[in-house]
Amino acid sequence: MEKITEKLLLAKASPKANKLEQIMTLNLSKMRLKLQDLPVKLLSRLQSLEKLDLSGNMLQEFPKNLELPALRFLDLSDNQIEDVTTLDSLSNVEELRMDGNLYITVSDTYKLMVLLPNLRIYNGKDVSTYANHLRYVYSDNLRTRIAALWENSFCLPDPITAEKIDVLESKFVSTASYQVKFGPNSVSDFTRWRVGILAKEYLLSLTEPKKEVDSVETTGTQNNSDVSKPAKRKQTESVIDTSIRLRPHKKPRTDPAASAASDSPRQSRFRLKPQTQDPIDTIRNVPSKTSRPPITPSRGERRSERPKRSFQEQQTSEDDAQKKRKESLGKKDSRRDADMLQTVEIRSDTQPVHLKPLHVLQCHSKQDSLEDFSTQLWACAFQPLPDSAGNAGGSRLVATCGGDSICLIDCEMGMVMKKYKVPGEEFFSLAWTTVLMSRGGNASAQHCSILAAGGKRGLVKLIHPRNNVAYGEFRASRKALSVLRFNHQQGNFLFTGSYDNKILMWDIGGVDSQYNFKVVQLLVLEIGTTPLHICLPPTAPSAHLLTACEDGLHCYNTQLGANNTSKRSKEMEITFPIYKKEDKDHDYHAVDGLSFLNDDIVASKNYLYGCIYLWSWSRTKVQRPDKKSKAVRAVVLAELQWTNTQIPYLALNTCPGQAYMVCGDDKGKIWTYHIPNLQKNSFHTGKPILPTEVLEWPTPVKNGHGKVEGPSINSVAMDPELCYLVALSDKNMVIVWKREESP
């Protein structure tokens, strides 16, 4: 056996590195290593290590307190592991191999699934769904029983002293471990171990309650609180209209051309959309493991007119004394906020970019007709390119949806690389994610990009574009789906918003080489009206969810295991200054645009209001909601000047890496805003920030039809580096803009 030294570690690294801190893959297999042979201090320097192979050694446990923050793959097979709890410091491990350890029991396997919160692949099999059941559902059942035991048999000492608490903890944990029973006897060791941990947490929550953050009531002044490289080309049937050519100058137009109407549920009470026909699939479907009865597309019903709400009505519950107190606090906070805004930076190292029109595509046509200028396109998103750790990078492949089809477009070439059609469907939303695909045998799992899409039929379609496979579907609602959103930190968690006024959280797990998968419903969020957009805070996507709806902007607690209920109501409603101007003829509550500009600043757009708000998420959420309405006032930092229009569903989008926010209008223009900081332009000046540039509609010319006037821009997307900008219109056109490099 060789002694573990820095020189040996560098020799065993792959690829070769000059420093321990640079090593990404390390093979220490079959070296007859024991626990004492692994120097924790030396190994702790492996801060970039992603894959570690310790198979075929003589380890009885993993070194305690060895933290390897970048580690994603660990092979401990063919050792003599007896104690798995020492692995708790490896919180980011996604794949673990433990086969060939004779002393590992089922209880040990369950412990690993709880100790390693990101574990998805165990011994070559996808266990993410079962692991999440243990982490959340199973644990919540144990918490309920632990709380019942406390209520029936225990109480806090009076007075509370450290000595008494220590005695109480020992007795309570011991009693709970033996009296709380749940699950099969074969995993009783795991249950006792888990109960012991949860009992300590429960007692701690009673003796050291969470400190309440003093809320800053900022009412009373307007100036404050209202305040995969692209896959090989296979597409041959999609229509790429090469007869469209771009003209640099745009002729002013008067009124937007009216589109044909139908009863699509997406149109709601605002506008109607033409019905799509039944083309052919160009991506093959994997036969479902269980047969489903034919699903009849439900015709969309217009939603009932929601009652008007005025901001003034929310204030009637406050007495005059409370108002005066809040006004006083508001004035003080206004001055303080104005000072704070002098240091608000987003990405000061970025520069404005210049974009030029590159391609116009007509690829969602009914029956591939060149005459189709009525199919509305609703959502687009760039494919993430996962690295070995599953982190997403940039891509020039964008997915678009509208009518009965989904297209994957190469932005540089202006070509539809792949196309997926579902006769009778009408797609409204799509979302990308990265999951692990287990390959069986001794092969390690690999990250793969999955596309989910949904619409009128209430089904979520799951597609693996790289292999040209539509591998599955599941029913998310009996009504149409309005929005899909994945958790960017846990790619198997999917949120679906639907026209039955609900948002559901799903665990779609991973897939194996045969595309077997399992979907489990985790949460139901009760929404007042149809959710239009879903956003997850970048730094804590598993804790909260923001949803933009027709009756306002709402926040929900989505932390699993936080309580034992799978149905949740809103935690707070975020209100905006424009609500003060509402009357019986003007309702500004509908929020039809929402996106994070950085980790804290949110961009949101209220229907019928000609500006876009930028507000602070962190400073808004710390406020104490009104007990009755649950309302808190957004801490607005700035307003962006936009257009005045009565057309809804014109979604905005952001590019945090380049400090950009963009939004299309109803005349084919795209308003772009480069916001590196907010030092000179704040909400308190009363002057909205002007757009950095307004991209004019490129006025393509269609043979036999003349110029195509500017349509409404329903959706926009940018890649992380802002090399490309893609806009979708309500006239069946995809417009690709490309960044021009500075000379």
Side-chain angles (χ1 to χ4, degrees):
M1 183 200 70
E2 296 183 68
K3 184 178 180 181
I4 301 298
T5 62
E6 181 173 349
K7 182 178 179 181
L8 183 140
L9 293 178
L10 292 172
K12 295 281 186 178
S14 175
K16 297 299 181 182
N18 297 323
K19 298 180 180 180
L20 294 183
E21 291 76 9
Q22 299 173 346
I23 295 177
M24 300 182 67
T25 302
L26 185 61
N27 188 348
L28 299 178
S29 63
K30 299 178 181 178
M31 294 180 62
R32 302 184 62 80
L33 296 172
K34 296 183 179 181
L35 177 63
Q36 57 269 27
D37 299 322
L38 297 177
V40 174
K41 185 175 181 180
L42 184 64
L43 295 175
S44 296
R45 294 172 56 188
L46 302 171
Q47 295 297 295
S48 299
L49 185 65
E50 296 178 359
K51 299 183 70 173
L52 175 60
D53 188 351
L54 287 169
S55 62
N57 286 295
M58 304 171 65
L59 298 172
Q60 293 182 321
E61 63 180 60
F62 192 78
K64 294 181 180 179
N65 302 321
L66 174 54
E67 296 185 4
L68 301 171
L71 192 66
R72 299 295 187 273
F73 174 89
L74 176 62
D75 191 346
L76 289 173
S77 57
D78 298 317
N79 276 278
Q80 302 170 16
I81 301 294
E82 298 179 7
D83 183 7
V84 300
T85 59
T86 56
L87 291 164
D88 63 346
S89 61
L90 306 178
S91 59
N92 291 321
V93 166
E94 296 178 345
E95 183 174 358
L96 176 66
R97 301 199 70 93
M98 294 286 287
D99 42 328
N101 287 276
L102 299 179
Y103 305 110
I104 295 298
T105 65
V106 176
S107 288
D108 290 326
T109 299
Y110 284 13
K111 290 178 183 178
L112 287 169
M113 293 181 185
V114 173
L115 288 169
L116 305 177
N118 291 315
L119 183 65
R120 303 182 190 178
I121 305 295
Y122 182 73
N123 290 342
K125 296 181 180 180
D126 179 19
V127 297
S128 54
T129 300
Y130 201 80
N132 285 326
H133 177 82
L134 290 174
R135 295 165 188 155
Y136 307 121
V137 180
Y138 196 94
S139 296
D140 280 345
N141 276 288
L142 295 180
R143 288 188 183 93
T144 301
R145 288 163 169 78
I146 291 169
L149 174 65
W150 174 268
E151 295 295 334
N152 293 332
S153 307
F154 292 89
C155 63
L156 290 174
D158 187 16
I160 296 178
T161 63
E163 293 78 8
K164 291 181 179 180
I165 289 296
D166 289 341
V167 173
L168 176 62
E169 179 184 286
S170 177
K171 185 177 180 180
F172 177 55
V173 171
S174 176
T175 303
S177 298
Y178 284 94
Q179 289 192 14
V180 173
K181 306 293 183 183
F182 187 69
N185 291 330
S186 59
V187 293
S188 57
D189 178 61
F190 164 74
T191 302
R192 283 195 298 270
W193 172 80
R194 188 65 175 140
V195 167
I197 295 174
L198 296 176
K200 290 181 181 179
E201 292 178 356
Y202 182 81
L203 182 58
L204 184 64
S205 69
L206 298 176
T207 56
E208 297 182 12
K210 295 180 180 179
K211 296 180 180 179
E212 293 187 2
V213 180
D214 292 336
S215 64
V216 181
E217 302 287 352
T218 53
T219 61
T221 62
Q222 181 183 3
N223 290 339
N224 198 28
S225 77
D226 288 334
V227 279
S228 162
K229 62 182 179 182
K232 183 178 179 181
R233 185 184 179 193
K234 293 190 65 175
Q235 173 60 28
T236 57
E237 299 179 7
S238 62
V239 178
I240 305 173
D241 192 359
T242 56
S243 64
I244 292 180
R245 62 183 186 272
L246 301 176
R247 293 173 61 92
H249 301 291
K250 177 183 180 302
K251 179 181 177 180
R253 74 185 282 253
T254 54
D255 298 321
S259 299
S262 80
D263 53 353
S264 163
R266 180 64 170 178
Q267 298 312 307
S268 151
R269 58 191 173 83
F270 295 120
R271 42 179 183 170
L272 301 174
K273 177 183 178 301
Q275 179 181 352
T276 58
Q277 304 298 320
D278 300 346
I280 320 170
D281 286 342
T282 57
I283 291 183
R284 73 182 187 273
N285 286 278
V286 176
S288 176
K289 301 292 184 275
T290 58
S291 60
R292 293 179 181 268
I295 299 171
T296 304
S298 57
R299 304 301 298 171
E301 299 178 358
R302 295 194 179 203
R303 294 190 296 277
S304 58
E305 194 77 23
R306 61 186 173 85
K308 303 289 184 181
R309 301 191 311 155
S310 68
F311 186 77
Q312 288 83 354
E313 289 174 354
Q314 296 181 17
Q315 301 298 311
T316 57
S317 60
E318 298 185 89
D319 55 36
D320 293 339
Q322 178 117 359
K323 285 185 178 180
K324 291 179 180 180
R325 182 178 65 85
K326 289 186 176 182
E327 288 175 1
S328 176
L329 283 172
K331 292 176 182 178
K332 295 178 181 178
D333 292 333
S334 176
R335 292 191 297 270
R336 185 190 66 180
D337 289 346
D339 293 337
M340 292 178 65
L341 283 172
Q342 299 303 313
T343 60
V344 173
E345 289 191 0
I346 300 175
R347 282 297 299 267
S348 58
D349 57 337
T350 60
Q351 298 295 326
V353 302
H354 180 64
L355 298 162
K356 66 175 182 179
L358 185 63
H359 303 292
V360 178
L361 294 88
Q362 187 184 6
C363 51
H364 290 265
S365 302
K366 294 176 292 186
Q367 299 179 339
D368 293 335
S369 170
L370 292 174
E371 309 303 319
D372 181 4
F373 285 92
S374 59
T375 296
Q376 296 209 47
L377 312 184
W378 289 113
C380 54
F382 277 86
Q383 178 188 19
L385 292 180
D387 58 21
S388 59
N391 300 313
S395 168
R396 69 183 197 183
L397 195 68
V398 67
T400 62
C401 73
D404 60 3
S405 61
I406 300 166
C407 293
L408 271 69
I409 300 170
D410 185 305
C411 290
E412 182 63 31
M413 296 188 294
M415 291 183 176
V416 178
M417 309 304 291
K418 298 178 182 179
K419 190 171 184 177
Y420 177 61
K421 289 192 176 185
V422 180
E425 180 62 279
E426 185 177 5
F427 288 105
F428 295 145
S429 185
L430 52 75
W432 289 97
T433 190
T434 301
V435 300
L436 285 175
M437 174 180 280
S438 57
R439 297 185 287 175
N442 294 322
S444 61
Q446 65 180 8
H447 291 91
C448 61
S449 292
I450 298 299
L451 179 65
K456 182 175 66 176
R457 296 171 64 184
L459 297 173
V460 175
K461 302 284 184 178
L462 299 174
I463 305 170
H464 185 198
R466 181 171 182 176
N467 287 357
N468 207 32
V469 174
Y471 68 88
E473 67 179 31
F474 66 92
R475 177 163 292 284
S477 174
R478 291 292 172 184
K479 292 194 175 182
L481 300 179
S482 57
V483 59
L484 306 182
R485 172 73 70 175
F486 279 101
N487 183 324
H488 55 271
Q489 287 186 0
Q490 289 187 277
N492 52 311
F493 285 175
L494 170 66
F495 293 94
T496 61
S498 53
Y499 282 79
D500 57 0
N501 303 339
K502 292 179 181 178
I503 293 177
L504 274 59
M505 179 180 177
W506 307 86
D507 180 0
I508 68 166
V511 294
D512 61 18
S513 57
Q514 302 301 314
Y515 289 99
N516 296 303
F517 71 102
K518 184 178 180 181
V519 177
V520 177
Q521 181 180 309
L522 300 176
L523 285 179
V524 177
L525 308 181
E526 301 287 351
I527 315 293
T529 57
T530 302
L532 303 177
H533 297 279
I534 293 174
C535 270
L536 306 177
T539 56
S542 300
H544 292 92
L545 175 147
L546 296 175
T547 178
C549 306
E550 287 190 359
D551 67 344
L553 181 58
H554 307 290
C555 174
Y556 289 80
N557 178 0
T558 57
Q559 189 168 0
L560 295 173
N563 53 56
N564 56 6
T565 177
S566 61
K567 289 188 177 182
R568 301 183 185 179
S569 57
K570 69 181 179 184
E571 190 174 59
M572 66 178 73
E573 177 185 354
I574 298 169
T575 63
F576 297 95
I578 189 61
Y579 292 0
K580 289 184 175 181
K581 298 182 180 180
E582 288 185 337
D583 53 36
K584 64 180 182 179
D585 298 321
H586 299 87
D587 187 350
Y588 299 102
H589 268 71
V591 179
D592 60 358
L594 182 68
S595 185
F596 273 84
L597 184 58
N598 66 2
D599 289 348
D600 179 54
I601 298 177
V602 186
S604 64
K605 180 167 71 71
N606 294 75
Y607 173 56
L608 296 179
Y609 185 47
C611 288
I612 296 170
Y613 285 118
L614 296 181
W615 51 278
S616 168
W617 159 242
S618 62
R619 292 163 61 192
T620 299
K621 71 176 180 178
V622 298
Q623 299 179 74
R624 186 177 292 114
D626 180 83
K627 292 183 179 180
K628 185 176 180 180
S629 66
K630 297 186 179 180
V632 298
R633 293 166 178 79
V635 180
V636 177
L637 306 178
E639 285 186 343
L640 308 181
Q641 182 65 54
W642 190 55
T643 188
N644 291 312
T645 178
Q646 295 187 359
I647 303 296
Y649 302 144
L650 305 180
L652 59 82
N653 210 335
T654 56
C655 182
Q658 300 298 316
Y660 255 82
M661 201 284 297
V662 299
C663 187
D665 65 15
D666 59 344
K667 295 180 174 58
K669 299 179 181 180
I670 299 177
W671 299 58
T672 69
Y673 306 84
H674 178 236
I675 315 169
N677 57 63
L678 294 172
Q679 292 179 336
K680 297 181 179 179
N681 300 282
S682 75
F683 178 69
H684 305 279
T685 65
K687 298 179 180 179
I689 299 175
L690 298 177
T692 304
E693 183 180 10
V694 178
L695 304 177
E696 296 288 335
W697 173 246
T699 317
V701 177
K702 179 70 174 68
N703 287 349
H705 292 269
K707 300 176 183 178
V708 180
E709 295 296 339
S712 294
I713 303 298
N714 288 338
S715 182
V716 289
M718 295 165 281
D719 70 290
E721 301 300 323
L722 195 45
C723 295
Y724 303 98
L725 184 151
V726 174
L728 305 187
S729 77
D730 65 350
K731 289 187 177 179
N732 188 30
M733 284 181 284
V734 179
I735 306 96
V736 179
W737 302 73
K738 184 179 180 181
R739 178 176 183 170
E740 282 191 326
E741 297 298 332
S742 302

